[in-house]
Amino acid sequence: MYEGAVQDLIDELGRLPGVGPKSAQRIAFHLLAADAADVGRLVASLQRVQAEVRFCSICFNVAEAEQCRICRDPRRSLDTICVVEEPKDVVAIERTREFRGRYHVLGGAISPIEGIGPDDLKVKELMSRLMDGSVTELIIATDPNLEGEATAAYLARLVSPMGLAVSRLASGLPVGGDLEYADEVTLGRAFEGRRRI
């Protein structure tokens, strides 16, 4: 549609997750109108991420060293592991300041439709972390969707012979939500997860 470099930029931006053709075009023209210094900082940031960021050798969270800051922190509990799908989930849980254990990032969820099975995730690495016997509790914090539920069920079955305390994050009604707008599955889970007050 556009000539050479502009169309190439739109095409590359369109390959990013969540960026459709119109958004790619809007971003491309924003970059064309931006100061050279702003574009230079963006390019430098992308190159720095590419060169310096890797995945933690223990938990597979993003890191700029061999291990992420959480795995290097001696104050974190070694006996509890929280299993999440993606590094962004670690950030979400860390914002709560409620969890003081370690993490394990699977790198996705089981999804037969997309051809993703347990061998495509960091499940073997999780099992090897659990083998030394220092972990007593496994918290499964996968997304509350079909793929996340399938992954949680698979992991729970896989580790059941180890005698660990295995739990799943509660799901239900959001704070400030109205019952009339809750779907049946969410409301059902809220009833299942109810607790005494």
Side-chain angles (χ1 to χ4, degrees):
M1 216 189 261
Y2 295 96
E3 288 190 31
V6 175
Q7 189 60 47
D8 290 346
L9 177 60
I10 292 169
D11 292 344
E12 289 303 316
L13 290 169
R15 293 177 52 202
L16 295 171
V19 179
K22 290 202 182 282
S23 293
Q25 182 177 327
R26 197 167 30 257
I27 295 167
F29 280 99
H30 171 79
L31 292 172
L32 286 171
D35 288 341
D38 292 341
V39 174
R41 278 194 304 277
L42 175 61
V43 169
S45 293
L46 291 171
Q47 289 172 333
R48 184 170 172 226
V49 164
Q50 185 70 34
E52 297 177 14
V53 177
R54 64 191 79 166
F55 293 101
C56 175
S57 62
I58 296 173
C59 73
F60 304 97
N61 189 14
V62 291
E64 289 190 5
E66 181 71 20
Q67 296 175 2
C68 70
R69 66 174 177 76
I70 295 170
C71 287
R72 288 191 317 261
D73 187 346
R75 297 169 297 177
R76 302 301 287 238
S77 172
L78 294 171
D79 63 354
T80 307
I81 291 179
C82 180
V83 179
V84 297
E85 292 179 21
E86 302 290 344
K88 62 183 172 55
D89 302 325
V90 171
V91 173
I93 294 170
E94 283 296 291
R95 276 197 309 256
T96 69
R97 299 182 189 268
E98 294 289 327
F99 181 66
R100 296 301 305 154
R102 307 274 174 116
Y103 293 93
H104 188 85
V105 180
L106 293 172
I110 295 171
S111 177
I113 292 172
E114 294 179 24
I116 300 170
D119 292 339
D120 301 310
L121 306 174
K122 301 293 183 190
V123 174
K124 287 181 192 139
E125 293 83 351
L126 173 62
M127 295 306 289
S128 64
R129 287 182 73 187
L130 299 176
M131 289 298 180
D132 72 2
S134 63
V135 177
T136 58
E137 182 181 7
L138 190 69
I139 301 169
I140 302 174
T142 53
D143 290 342
N145 56 25
L146 192 61
E147 293 83 6
E149 294 294 335
T151 305
Y154 175 80
L155 292 175
R157 277 194 313 273
L158 193 62
V159 302
S160 65
M162 299 176 139
L164 299 172
V166 180
S167 59
R168 178 105 168 93
L169 283 188
S171 58
L173 299 171
V175 173
D178 291 326
L179 286 178
E180 66 181 296
Y181 299 118
D183 62 272
E184 294 83 11
V185 174
T186 302
L187 201 50
R189 286 191 182 153
F191 268 100
E192 286 173 14
R194 70 188 184 277
R195 58 188 170 93
R196 292 189 177 275
I197 55 170

